[in-house]
Amino acid sequence: MEDFFERIKPLLSEDEFKIFKNEYNKKPFVGVRVNTLKCSPEKFESLMKSEGTEIKKTPFSPVGYYIEDKSSLSGKHPLHHAGGIYFQEPSAMSAATLLSPEKGEKVLDLCAAPGGKSTQLAAYLDSEGLIWCNEYVRSRANILISNIERCGIGNAVVSSCEPEALCSALEGYFDRILVDAPCSGEGMFRRDENAYSEWTPEHSDSCAVRQLKILESAKKALKPGGTLVYSTCTFSKAENEDVAEKFLANNPDFELLPCDESFGRAALDGKSTRIFPMDGGEGHFAAKFRKISGESGGFAEVLKPTDTKKLPDFVKAFFEDTFDSVSMLSRAYLQGDKLYILPENCPEIRGLGVLRAGVFAGLMRKNYFEPAHALFMAESRQNIKRVVDLKITDPRVQKFLRGEEIDVDENVKGYAALCVEGIVTGFGKVSEKKLKNKYPKGLRLL
């Protein structure tokens, strides 16, 4: 890795460079973030304490933690299946923390897969406003959809579109934009051996060209007064400070804002943030810009939901039987035999490579409605009429996650949410004190 270290050397003092090199003899950091749409930090901390799992707060997010022993908390854990947590490299949490959207805002995550930052931004919105998540690589966009569904996000649009086409169509539409740009991935070297084997100085330089191009597209979709955060998981000055400075030089209608966070170390005249392994994360860079002037976009066309009068009676009957409030039907959208629940005031999506708008609610069958896993994951426990709530230590939790039928105490009949510690984890159909499992095959524990 000497060629890589030589590129890093000018960025650090002699003593810090020695510390930096020594970090590569240590294990990488492992992090987890609580998804506050489904779980509180207090509940997470209590559950970890009861299980004897050691965790420690990270500086990069108020709901981020280091995991001391990865084997004790993994993707097999019920909290992961429930969407209550998201495994995320600690310093990767920094970019969404810097953007910090507010409830009701419209937010774009332009390079979104696999979804760590999108789900983090969605938690800030707290089910209000809109989070548009774009991923140009279609296969990665499918992973993004899966994570959006698992985390119970109902106000998301997921697309697979060229940044230039998307941002031109949605000109001046968003309050905040995150560009976590594809990069040479130098901050991944400790976590992924393949990341270094694929790295070359030339690749890093070519990434910088693409990153600036993406930023030039992103600026079009931002409202005047809006905030744009540019981030990478690399150390290269060419991909970080140089890209930010070129963007500012090209766009006098943008200004650089101070990051004003306690984590990392100052860059770009003290306003931007760099994170090295000795700072508690694998590696990240972030710069924050504000659009000073310009015009708001005239994009006002809203995707019209399906008239509720046109919904089959058996669909209405299912919703009325399953949920206390059926107000979501005012945002129902029929597409062939598929029913979706759109985000409020969802913009027109045609021609933008949209793969999912809102929540996939289920399928129309002959004379009946077949609900989808995503519908229950996006609903609050309080709005679901029938609930089977299990303690995390209950052996039936593991049986459910394996897709098995389970016995239930509740003397109910019909569709019911399966909750773990009060967190909706899936659903099934209850009859004669047995819950017929509807947990998707692709998500089940083997």
Side-chain angles (χ1 to χ4, degrees):
M1 295 178 62
E2 287 306 315
D3 49 351
F4 162 64
F5 286 133
E6 284 301 311
R7 299 254 301 187
I8 300 299
K9 201 170 185 177
L11 301 175
L12 297 165
S13 69
E14 186 175 345
D15 289 341
E16 284 184 320
F17 180 65
K18 289 177 182 178
I19 295 171
F20 176 83
K21 286 190 72 174
N22 187 54
E23 289 292 315
Y24 285 80
N25 297 318
K26 301 177 183 178
K27 291 182 179 180
F29 293 104
V30 179
V32 65
R33 177 176 46 77
V34 176
N35 173 25
T36 53
L37 293 175
K38 304 198 78 176
C39 182
S40 69
E42 293 78 17
K43 177 179 284 189
F44 171 70
E45 290 175 9
S46 175
L47 289 170
M48 293 302 98
K49 184 177 181 179
S50 68
E51 294 180 0
T53 299
E54 291 187 40
I55 56 172
K56 185 173 65 174
K57 293 294 289 287
T58 80
F60 307 112
S61 165
V63 292
Y65 299 81
Y66 295 107
I67 308 170
E68 299 301 315
D69 180 8
K70 188 178 180 181
S71 63
S72 63
L73 188 63
S74 70
K76 295 182 180 180
H77 198 282
L79 278 182
H80 168 77
H81 284 264
I85 56 175
Y86 192 104
F87 292 100
Q88 190 173 14
E89 190 278 304
S91 65
M93 304 174 194
S94 61
T97 299
L98 289 171
L99 193 61
S100 293
E102 298 178 1
K103 288 184 182 182
E105 290 187 326
K106 296 187 284 291
V107 180
L108 171 63
D109 186 356
L110 191 55
C111 311
K117 295 176 177 67
S118 288
T119 55
Q120 189 177 355
L121 292 169
Y124 275 100
L125 293 177
D126 197 21
S127 301
E128 298 180 19
L130 179 77
I131 172 77
W132 189 300
C133 316
N134 183 69
E135 174 54 50
Y136 176 65
V137 181
R138 177 63 182 268
S139 59
R140 286 170 56 81
N142 291 332
I143 298 169
L144 174 61
I145 289 174
S146 179
N147 282 320
I148 292 288
E149 288 186 351
R150 182 173 60 81
C151 291
I153 299 166
N155 58 333
V157 175
V158 178
S159 63
S160 183
C161 188
E162 282 275 9
E164 176 64 22
L166 180 69
C167 294
S168 294
L170 297 171
E171 186 171 356
Y173 183 73
F174 294 99
D175 300 288
R176 301 184 197 238
I177 297 176
L178 175 62
V179 176
D180 185 50
C183 66
S184 58
E186 294 167 351
M188 302 285 287
F189 288 177
R190 289 203 307 183
R191 298 176 61 202
D192 182 2
E193 292 181 1
N194 292 329
Y196 174 68
S197 66
E198 296 171 358
W199 178 88
T200 65
E202 292 76 21
H203 175 55
S204 175
D205 294 340
S206 66
C207 283
V209 175
R210 178 171 57 173
Q211 290 153 355
L212 182 59
K213 184 179 179 182
I214 294 173
L215 271 179
E216 292 290 349
S217 297
K219 71 180 184 184
K220 299 177 182 178
L222 190 65
K223 288 180 177 178
T227 305
L228 186 158
V229 166
Y230 169 69
S231 69
T232 74
C233 61
T234 201
F235 305 119
S236 164
K237 184 174 180 292
E239 297 179 65
N240 294 330
E241 288 93 340
D242 291 356
V243 168
E245 288 176 334
K246 287 176 183 176
F247 177 74
L248 287 169
N250 293 344
N251 298 280
D253 55 335
F254 277 78
E255 65 177 345
L256 187 66
L257 296 176
C259 288
D260 290 337
E261 294 287 348
S262 60
F263 52 72
R265 57 188 66 201
L268 272 180
D269 298 325
K271 289 188 174 181
S272 298
T273 297
R274 267 186 174 278
I275 300 164
F276 289 97
M278 55 277 204
D279 301 324
E282 292 304 301
H284 232 72
F285 170 87
K288 182 159 63 171
F289 307 96
R290 177 166 56 207
K291 190 173 186 179
I292 304 168
S293 59
E295 296 182 4
S296 294
F299 190 91
E301 190 174 0
V302 174
L303 182 61
K304 292 182 180 179
T306 300
D307 188 338
T308 52
K309 294 178 182 179
K310 295 181 180 179
L311 293 176
D313 288 340
F314 60 79
V315 171
K316 298 175 189 176
F318 162 81
F319 278 84
E320 289 170 356
D321 179 64
T322 307
F323 304 108
D324 286 324
S325 169
V326 296
S327 60
M328 75 284 280
L329 285 179
S330 65
R331 292 177 281 114
Y333 183 72
L334 265 176
Q335 192 172 44
D337 63 347
K338 297 178 180 178
L339 180 70
Y340 297 88
I341 305 298
L342 296 173
E344 291 187 9
N345 300 314
C346 181
E348 178 57 65
I349 59 177
R350 285 173 293 187
L352 297 179
V354 170
L355 306 176
R356 181 66 50 84
V359 177
F360 173 48
L363 292 167
M364 303 290 168
R365 301 301 190 188
K366 189 175 181 181
N367 298 325
Y368 75 96
F369 180 70
E370 183 179 322
H373 175 70
L375 176 63
F376 282 84
M377 293 296 280
E379 273 300 323
S380 70
R381 180 189 187 281
Q382 291 72 25
N383 193 43
I384 302 172
K385 288 185 176 179
R386 291 175 290 275
V387 172
V388 176
D389 200 353
L390 305 179
K391 293 291 184 182
I392 203 165
T393 54
D394 192 315
R396 290 176 293 176
V397 172
Q398 294 298 315
K399 288 186 69 175
F400 178 80
L401 294 178
R402 291 196 297 268
E404 300 173 19
E405 182 178 272
I406 63 173
D407 295 325
V408 297
D409 301 326
E410 289 78 0
N411 190 20
V412 298
K413 186 177 181 180
Y415 287 109
L418 189 287
C419 295
V420 177
E421 301 287 349
I423 305 171
V424 178
T425 307
F427 79 106
K429 197 167 187 179
V430 179
S431 179
E432 298 180 352
K433 293 192 175 183
K434 290 189 180 293
L435 184 141
K436 186 177 180 181
N437 203 321
K438 299 293 183 180
Y439 199 59
K441 291 182 179 179
L443 302 179
R444 294 175 185 175
L445 292 175
L446 299 177

